[in-house]
Amino acid sequence: MSDARLTSDPYLVPHLADSALVTIDLQRDFLSDSPYGIPGTTEVLPRVLRLVEEFRAAGRPVLHIVRLYEKGGGNADLVRRTLLADGTEIVAPGSPGSALAPGLAPEGAPALDPDRLLRGPGHQQLGPREYAVYKPRWGAFYRTSLEGLLAGFGVDTLVFAGCNLPNCPRASIIEASERDFRVVAVEDALSRTSEQGLAELSGIGVQLLTTDELTALLAETRP
């Protein structure tokens, strides 16, 4: 592929040979047709699945960041607590709606384990170099085990895809930038993108690529 869209800045150019894929909030309750789903999320899922398969094939880590709202909403963001306190259940621990979106988990992966995710260690292995990680707020790094997992893999570049760019992906991308990770946002594998939102990410040094562009670059890292 053409490298015309790749930055030439040596501090920002992605190192895909040292990268990990981070998917955000791709759970059944957040899919487009769910009662509290996010528009456009089901529509980007095929491209996210392609990214996941490409990262697995390249032997690179895949981290699925998930939410779990306990009954009553005591562990949820303040903006969601009234809704949950009134009895609404969204990504409730152990519920079908809390499961990863269809096709996202590796073949033979166990179901998400709420005790392990909520009460320690905060992550669960789903396959080789593939984990689910629970986050209690918008950002994937806030009070989570993500940074430790990434350090163990020697990752310096994060590739983001998933649900609802204005909220959790954006917060997670900013947290990654604050920790000096090189960051890629796969613009056609994120729901609720906008021209302004993508421009703002670009303004803080995030590399914007399409699924086709990213997978072509990732293929170049294989032996």
Side-chain angles (χ1 to χ4, degrees):
M1 62 159 282
S2 167
D3 61 358
R5 293 228 298 161
L6 278 177
T7 180
S8 60
D9 188 323
Y11 292 102
L12 301 178
V13 65
H15 295 160
L16 293 181
D18 299 309
S19 68
L21 175 65
V22 181
T23 77
I24 304 287
D25 291 353
L26 285 173
Q27 294 163 271
R28 292 174 187 263
D29 274 348
F30 296 135
L31 297 178
S32 306
D33 56 353
S34 297
Y36 292 92
I38 305 300
T41 299
T42 300
E43 290 75 7
V44 303
L45 186 57
R47 289 183 286 279
V48 178
L49 295 177
R50 181 180 166 199
L51 290 170
V52 169
E53 290 300 327
E54 294 290 342
F55 270 77
R56 288 173 184 155
R60 301 307 308 154
V62 178
L63 294 309
H64 303 290
I65 312 302
V66 300
R67 306 298 295 266
L68 294 171
Y69 296 145
E70 295 180 306
K71 187 174 182 178
N75 70 331
D77 317 82
L78 293 181
V79 71
R80 300 224 169 104
R81 290 195 187 179
T82 295
L83 176 68
L84 296 167
D86 287 343
T88 299
E89 292 193 358
I90 308 172
V91 292
S95 70
S98 71
L100 292 175
L104 194 62
E107 185 175 354
L112 296 183
D113 182 340
D115 286 336
R116 188 171 183 82
L117 293 169
L118 287 168
R119 283 168 273 282
H123 58 264
Q124 175 187 357
Q125 187 163 11
L126 303 178
R129 302 173 74 86
E130 190 159 351
Y131 290 80
V133 179
Y134 164 72
K135 66 178 174 63
R137 294 293 183 271
W138 311 111
F141 288 88
Y142 178 71
R143 288 167 47 194
T144 77
S145 57
L146 178 60
E147 193 164 7
L149 286 171
L150 296 172
F153 288 127
V155 165
D156 77 353
T157 297
L158 297 182
V159 177
F160 285 91
C163 175
N164 199 12
L165 177 62
N167 292 359
C168 298
R170 181 187 178 98
S172 301
I173 285 169
I174 290 172
E175 289 178 336
S177 176
E178 290 173 338
R179 289 160 173 78
D180 292 338
F181 285 99
R182 298 161 190 266
V183 181
V184 176
V186 186
E187 56 190 1
D188 61 351
L190 287 158
S191 60
R192 292 195 65 219
T193 58
S194 66
E195 184 176 348
Q196 177 176 336
L198 293 172
E200 290 169 352
L201 292 184
S202 181
I204 63 168
V206 175
Q207 182 74 61
L208 303 177
L209 295 173
T210 65
T211 300
D212 285 345
E213 290 169 334
L214 191 285
T215 55
L217 289 168
L218 187 63
E220 295 174 7
T221 70
R222 298 185 190 179

